[in-house]
Amino acid sequence: MGSVEGGCCPPMDLFRSEPMQLVQIIIPIESAHLTVSYLGELGLLQFKDLNAEKSPFQRTYAAQIKRCGEMARKLRFFREQMSKAGFTPPATPLTQAKVDFDGLEIKLGELETELIEINGNSDKLQRAYNELVEYKLVLQKAGEFFHLAHNDATAQQRETEASHGDESSITSPLLDQEMSVDPSKQVKLGFVSGLVPREKSMAFERILFRATRGNVFLKQAVVSEPVTDPMSGEKVEKNVFVVFYSGERAKNKILKICDAFGANRYPFADDLGTQAQTITEVSGRISELKTTIDVGLAQRDNLLKTIGNQFEQWNLLVRKEKSTYHTLNMFSVDVTKKCLVAEGWCPLFATTQLQDTLQRASFDSNSQVGAILQVLHTKESPPTYFRTNKFTTAFQEIVDAYGVAKYQEANPGLYTVVTFPFLFAVMFGDWGHGICLLLATLFFIIKEKKLSTQKLGDITEMTFGGRYVILMMSLFSIYTGLIYNEFFSVPFELFGPSAYACRDLSCKDSTTMGLIKVRRTYPFGVDPEWHGSRSELPFLNSLKMKMSILLGVAQMNLGIVLSFCNAKFFANSVNVWFQFIPQLIFLNSLFGYLSILIIVKWVTGSKADLYHVMIYMFLSPTDDLGENQLFAGQKTLQMVLLLLALVAVPWMLLPKPFILKKQHQERHQGQSYQPLHRNEDSLEVEVHHDSHGHEEFEFSEVFVHQLIHTIEFVLGAVSNTASYLRLWALSLAHSELSSVFYEKVLLLAWGYNNVIILVIGIIVFVFATVGVLLVMETLSAFLHALRLHWVEFQNKFYEGDGYKFYPFSFALLGDEEE
């Protein structure tokens, strides 16, 4: 990770990434596995792949990785079986027995074989059980058909006897009765019985009728409860059917149609005595199978419980082994075939820990030769590594989402800890809503130990990960809410009585002239008497708009100052003189001057029109300011600042490309050499020369790049300042929405003097506040604060073209196989 939480690390430094070094380690083959395992426990070394040209199957430890993959497959199989059985393995093994990897491989194979055998027997028994259950249903439902037919035949026979005196017997089977009147016309019908899915029963009946041209008789009975299908094992609603037919040709058609519709056929005797005997036998077999199945399930549950008690320990061991062999495959084998050579990046502070780890691995593996560690010098750009904790990680991830910092450039994450939640709060300012956010995030913080071990949903997990960001956002929202004096849009006299009183009976219709100052100025924030007056909106608009410009200019100046810090750190004097200084002059000659005018107007109470001042500063710089003059010498100062702004543009554009060209010529002619003041300087890569080696200097390309950069800054100075007005716009929108929900929902419901309407109004107010103001507005303000940091602030100094430090660490192993 680029941001790794480390408990054994020295105090973190978020302003610049940790100094890194490229090291080479020569490890004897007999101690290589244990050494890499110890380095995985340390988690401070990012290995380079020295075998990138080889396929995975050509590498040294391909066979071991295949073994680990097979063991991981068995463990996934065990996890699936435990999940199906509703058994969750404990997060920590009940017994911490030392496990041998080879012994574990044999044990997993034996357990898999036993479990597959148990599952196979259980499936066979379950299928037989389901078939018997269906057979019993057929016997019961079809038996009812034949019983009714038998009763009808009996009644018909009695009628015949009464009218004709026929003494023929009716005790013979239903379908085998011989007609005593005319034996030559004896009819013998066959039948097929079974179950068909209910959703297919109508189509089944139609196809039977069409296929046999109506020469069948179909009886169906609905089964009230869904039955388990023997083939699929799923609950299905079915109907019992009996199809009577005549002739072998019709029978063959019926059997094919049954197979096509997934109908399960079962044998059935038309004799009532045989039916009763068969039902008794089937019921007995069902009872025996049920007992056998229960015993098998208990045996399987015991086996899964035994596996689950050690599952996490086995799973962790297999993942560690697999990652260890993956890492060993990144090493090259030396010519003697006795040592492995590894290269990787590690922080400078970890050198001692790395040496101690190598010595311990050599001692524990009883190796006669210890591992050799040496530092390599390279011009390759190192990875970026910031040591963060659970508080700063989320803020650093906000910056990394835009781009990972270049090695040791100034990190905006340090300032984002304060500026991001503050700009959010400027747009969200309401201390009632801030308290709601605070209570929500305190729940996550108090329960963080429990929640960190649970599997959460995507949104919940994202909210939990940013709990400290939300904490800072809520605290700053309470602060700005107190400044705005808004609690769910309601003002309070928290810091003393209002400084104003109303001339009229109602301040709703009063103007600024109608408010009389009767006391000293309200000590903190907006005077509560402003809320609800006719001048509230113009006053708050003016306040928040000017405040947005001040905050924007301050943050953009901070970005330019950080570009100076980068230039000084990398000893790039060209950027100091021809980027930092002209940019600072240009921005402050225009918008820095505007910020000073805003402050002077607030302090002096002047009624000067600042729009007029700034517009005519460009259009008519020599005209008198008249009533818009705030201080003596203002016109002269404006002309000087305008001249400086005009001079700053060619200052940024022209000198830098020519100076870079001259430096390139001197460097390749050997006329000048730049001394290295620190070891890291050899790692710095300048885009315009070092990264291209001895390539020819393209002056036109550099000049066009500088032209684009200059135009972008000049236009951006205007657009970025205007972009900060979103602070004013969203703050106004949040305040007005809160006021609408309070006045048009809560107060309106209160005015009806009806308990039911009041309860409904409170419910609507709560849902509107939570859904719109605490969810949608929070997300909106968050995204706008994100944009102000990524675009308006970071584009002044942040390159963000680095890559993260991903150390080989067992602590970072995920549940998914890589």
Side-chain angles (χ1 to χ4, degrees), residues 149-357:
H150 186 273
N151 291 339
D152 292 342
T154 303
Q156 185 177 4
Q157 184 70 25
R158 287 173 181 171
E159 291 178 0
T160 304
E161 288 176 355
S163 58
H164 300 289
D166 191 359
E167 300 295 334
S168 63
S169 174
I170 61 171
T171 59
S172 59
L174 177 68
L175 299 178
D176 294 328
Q177 292 184 28
E178 297 179 359
M179 300 183 67
S180 60
V181 177
D182 190 357
S184 64
K185 293 183 179 181
Q186 178 180 354
V187 177
K188 183 176 180 64
L189 296 178
F191 63 92
V192 175
S193 59
L195 289 96
V196 65
R198 190 174 304 166
E199 60 182 11
K200 300 179 180 179
S201 60
M202 295 300 294
F204 179 68
E205 184 174 353
R206 287 196 299 268
I207 295 297
L208 281 174
F209 182 81
R210 292 173 182 174
T212 60
R213 298 181 181 180
N215 293 321
V216 294
F217 177 69
L218 173 67
K219 290 284 289 183
Q220 293 194 62
V222 175
V223 179
S224 57
E225 297 292 332
V227 295
T228 304
D229 187 79
M231 300 303 295
S232 65
E234 297 178 353
K235 291 282 187 180
V236 182
E237 293 182 336
K238 292 189 175 185
N239 290 353
V240 173
F241 69 89
V242 179
V243 184
F244 298 95
Y245 62 88
S246 176
E248 285 297 320
R249 187 174 181 182
K251 178 181 178 181
N252 293 333
K253 289 181 179 180
I254 293 170
L255 295 180
K256 290 179 180 179
I257 293 171
C258 289
D259 293 338
F261 278 84
N264 298 328
R265 305 187 309 275
Y266 296 97
F268 187 79
D270 58 346
D271 183 66
L272 297 179
T274 307
Q275 292 174 16
Q277 182 181 357
T278 306
I279 290 177
T280 304
E281 293 176 358
V282 169
S283 299
R285 290 175 61 190
I286 287 176
S287 178
E288 293 175 0
L289 278 178
K290 180 65 175 173
T291 303
T292 307
I293 289 173
D294 290 341
V295 172
L297 290 177
Q299 182 183 1
R300 189 186 69 171
D301 289 344
N302 290 333
L303 180 61
L304 290 176
K305 188 175 181 181
T306 303
I307 294 171
N309 291 337
Q310 297 293 325
F311 180 81
E312 290 300 329
Q313 184 182 3
W314 295 345
N315 192 33
L316 181 61
L317 175 62
V318 171
R319 286 190 285 122
K320 283 183 176 180
E321 287 293 319
K322 189 173 183 180
S323 62
T324 299
Y325 285 118
H326 267 300
T327 304
L328 286 169
N329 271 341
M330 300 168 71
F331 301 170
S332 62
V333 183
D334 75 334
V335 291
T336 63
K337 305 292 184 180
K338 295 181 179 180
C339 294
L340 296 177
V341 179
E343 291 182 9
W345 295 100
C346 75
L348 199 59
F349 70 82
T351 305
T352 303
Q353 300 175 50
L354 199 57
Q355 292 173 339
D356 293 342
T357 302

Side-chain angles (χ1 to χ4, degrees), residues 549-563 583-584 587-588 591 713 716-724 788 791-797:
I549 293 174
L550 292 176
L551 293 174
V553 172
Q555 190 175 33
M556 287 190 292
N557 271 295
L558 174 61
I560 295 175
V561 170
L562 289 177
S563 72
Q583 285 183 358
L584 195 66
L587 180 65
N588 289 288
F591 300 104
F713 179 81
V718 181
S719 64
N720 293 166
T721 305
S723 183
Y724 276 95
L788 289 176
V791 179
E792 278 70 27
F793 174 50
Q794 292 180 189
N795 71 356
K796 302 294 183 296
F797 69 97

Side-chain angles (χ1 to χ4, degrees), residues 476-551:
F476 276 107
S477 296
I478 294 173
Y479 170 72
T480 54
L482 291 173
I483 291 179
Y484 297 158
N485 202 347
E486 291 186 7
F487 179 83
F488 295 98
S489 80
V490 180
F492 285 90
E493 295 183 344
L494 294 176
F495 302 100
S498 171
Y500 297 93
C502 294
R503 234 178 241 171
D504 310 310
L505 295 176
S506 174
C507 285
K508 292 280 185 184
D509 300 322
S510 65
T511 62
T512 51
M513 300 300 295
L515 293 174
I516 309 169
K517 188 171 183 178
V518 295
R519 302 180 189 88
R520 63 184 179 86
T521 304
Y522 193 69
F524 184 82
V526 176
D527 193 298
E529 204 63 43
W530 285 99
H531 291 277
S533 66
R534 286 175 54 189
S535 54
E536 175 191 7
L537 200 56
F539 170 74
L540 291 180
N541 273 344
S542 176
L543 171 68
K544 292 180 179 180
M545 181 177 64
K546 293 180 173 65
M547 183 177 64
S548 299
I549 293 174
L550 292 176
L551 293 174

